[in-house]
Amino acid sequence: MAKQQRRTSLKDLAKELGVSIATVSRALRNSPEIGRDMQQRVKDLAQKLNYRPNPFAQSLRKESPKVIGVVVPNLVTHYYAAVLDGIEDEAHRAGYSVISANSHERFEDEAQAIDNFISLHVEGIIACLSQNTTDYQHYEEIADMGIPLVFFGRTCLTDRFSSVTANGDEAAQQATNHLIETGSRRIAFIGGPNHLDMVRRRKHGYLEALREKHLPIDRELVLCGKIDYQYALETTEELLKRENRPDAILAFNDIITFAAFTAIKNCGLHIPEDVALIGFTDDVHAAYVTPRMSAIEDQSHLMGVTACQLLLKGINGDTKVYKEVVPQQLVIRETSAKK
């Protein structure tokens, strides 16, 4: 079996020398910001490790392209596809091309995508964190290099980078209030990892609604784990088989929503008579299941457009940190009101 070939990257050189990627990049370009001794150390190591600049990136720089990079956690979901569509629409209007990367909800893939974008010398980056990302060093390096970057959905380092988020706390509170007002009392929240700001916002809104309506908060009904269909399906089935099961579920995103939908049916329960359900999902799927799904819907295309607009401001020299909020909409259909 042939040995897999691996190219030496800027990140490899930086790690070996104990400096930032920005320092290595500037040294290889003979930047006056880097001393001659450091320039020589970088070049010597590059030669030793057989570093070769990406020829595609060199070609792009020669042609002075206008390219931005986008990294998303799960490109096959409608939400991220719609956000990317909005980014592309706005980018193309401004004369930019878009390169996208899928992190598959893995930190390593996300960090590699960012490293690839740096090597390609993109003009700027738009990113949404993977559920496994808790180390933000690759983004701190982006800030140090002065590359414009905007987060959407799931964010970090919000004092350094602009971001576009949804009003998930308000939407979750509104949805939980609706469930209470239509007869539900033991409402479960099924979310993703607690370190994600998007999860915290939506869980906060859910809890605020319970407090506002003077309903007890049962921690056994607050399940925040992995964003994975099979995991969410099994977790929900286990929850529904308990003696004191929930009579309603608020689900964090489309993957968890449809896992919960299937779990309720697998347990022989009826929606919404036995278990009401509202999910954060999109109208494309929510309106075409039976019963039709009550849903908190993102304006995902608008989120992409807004994120790209902020990135273009950064590319054009605007250093202000913006925090934009794109509102969500609660759409009541058939899965939420008990009959």
Side-chain angles (χ1 to χ4, degrees):
M1 184 175 180
K3 184 178 179 180
Q4 187 175 9
Q5 189 178 40
R6 183 182 182 279
R7 294 178 182 271
T8 300
S9 68
L10 289 175
K11 191 173 185 178
D12 295 328
L13 299 179
K15 184 177 181 180
E16 182 77 17
L17 292 166
V19 298
S20 68
I21 294 175
T23 296
V24 172
S25 178
R26 289 167 183 153
L28 291 173
R29 299 198 311 267
N30 299 316
S31 170
E33 299 175 31
I34 307 300
R36 290 184 179 179
D37 288 346
M38 178 54 73
Q39 286 188 29
Q40 194 58 50
R41 286 179 61 198
V42 171
K43 291 175 182 176
D44 287 346
L45 182 63
Q47 184 175 11
K48 177 183 175 182
L49 298 182
N50 197 29
Y51 169 74
R52 293 289 184 272
N54 188 311
F56 177 58
Q58 287 185 318
S59 173
L60 289 177
R61 290 196 297 275
K62 184 176 180 181
E63 298 298 326
S64 299
K66 298 172 72 174
V67 179
I68 63 175
V70 181
V71 57
V72 300
N74 190 343
L75 194 51
V76 300
T77 67
H78 182 269
Y79 170 74
Y80 291 113
V83 172
L84 182 60
D85 189 59
I87 292 170
E88 290 179 339
D89 283 351
E90 188 64 21
H92 293 163
R93 277 194 288 269
Y96 283 78
S97 297
V98 175
I99 300 175
S100 61
N102 191 348
S103 74
H104 305 282
E105 294 283 12
R106 292 191 290 263
F107 165 77
E108 296 79 8
D109 289 357
E110 175 185 299
Q112 185 60 59
I114 296 298
D115 192 36
N116 292 342
F117 290 154
I118 293 171
S119 298
L120 290 171
H121 290 248
V122 296
E123 297 287 315
I125 297 170
I126 298 174
C128 180
L129 298 180
S130 83
Q131 67 173 312
N132 293 334
T133 299
T134 56
D135 178 356
Y136 308 130
Q137 183 179 351
H138 50 310
Y139 293 118
E140 290 170 347
E141 290 173 350
I142 290 289
D144 293 339
M145 295 175 73
I147 299 174
L149 183 145
V150 172
F151 285 109
F152 75 89
R154 310 172 190 171
T155 71
C156 66
L157 306 176
T158 53
D159 58 329
R160 305 186 75 177
F161 295 110
S162 292
S163 60
V164 184
T165 57
N167 62 335
D169 51 348
E170 296 175 11
Q173 186 169 354
Q174 183 184 5
T176 306
N177 279 332
H178 167 73
L179 289 169
I180 295 169
E181 291 163 1
T182 53
S184 297
R185 289 296 178 268
R186 285 184 54 76
I187 304 168
F189 176 80
I190 304 180
N194 276 310
H195 67 266
L196 293 176
D197 59 334
M198 181 187 283
V199 174
R200 294 196 301 270
R201 285 193 297 270
R202 296 178 181 185
K203 182 170 69 173
H204 174 75
Y206 154 81
L207 293 173
E208 281 298 296
L210 296 182
R211 294 187 186 103
E212 183 183 86
K213 299 294 185 181
H214 307 292
L215 290 179
I217 295 172
D218 185 344
R219 294 295 173 182
E220 291 189 356
L221 297 181
V222 183
L223 304 178
C224 292
K226 187 165 55 173
I227 302 172
D228 175 81
Y229 181 86
Q230 191 62 35
Y231 175 86
L233 177 67
E234 293 171 0
T235 299
T236 306
E237 287 181 348
E238 180 183 335
L239 180 65
L240 293 172
K241 289 174 183 176
R242 294 177 187 174
E243 184 176 348
N244 197 14
R245 62 168 173 78
D247 61 359
I249 293 172
L250 178 64
F252 166 71
N253 72 350
D254 49 359
I255 291 173
I256 294 175
T257 295
F258 286 99
F261 184 90
T262 303
I264 295 169
K265 294 200 167 190
N266 286 352
C267 291
L269 299 170
H270 297 93
I271 305 172
E273 292 85 356
D274 297 320
V275 184
L277 176 63
I278 297 180
F280 284 81
T281 186
D282 58 84
D283 61 343
V284 172
H285 297 99
Y288 296 105
V289 294
T290 303
R292 294 183 306 139
M293 182 78 66
S294 292
I296 302 165
E297 297 178 357
D298 280 291
Q299 297 187 74
S300 43
H301 186 274
L302 178 59
M303 182 166 282
V305 169
T306 306
C308 191
Q309 288 173 342
L310 293 185
L311 184 68
L312 293 173
K313 286 184 177 182
I315 291 172
N316 291 326
D318 187 345
T319 58
K320 180 180 176 181
V321 175
Y322 294 88
K323 295 180 181 179
E324 297 291 340
V325 177
V326 176
Q328 295 172 305
Q329 181 180 11
L330 175 61
V331 180
I332 302 303
R333 296 191 179 93
E334 298 171 350
T335 62
S336 57
K338 294 188 178 299
K339 298 174 184 177

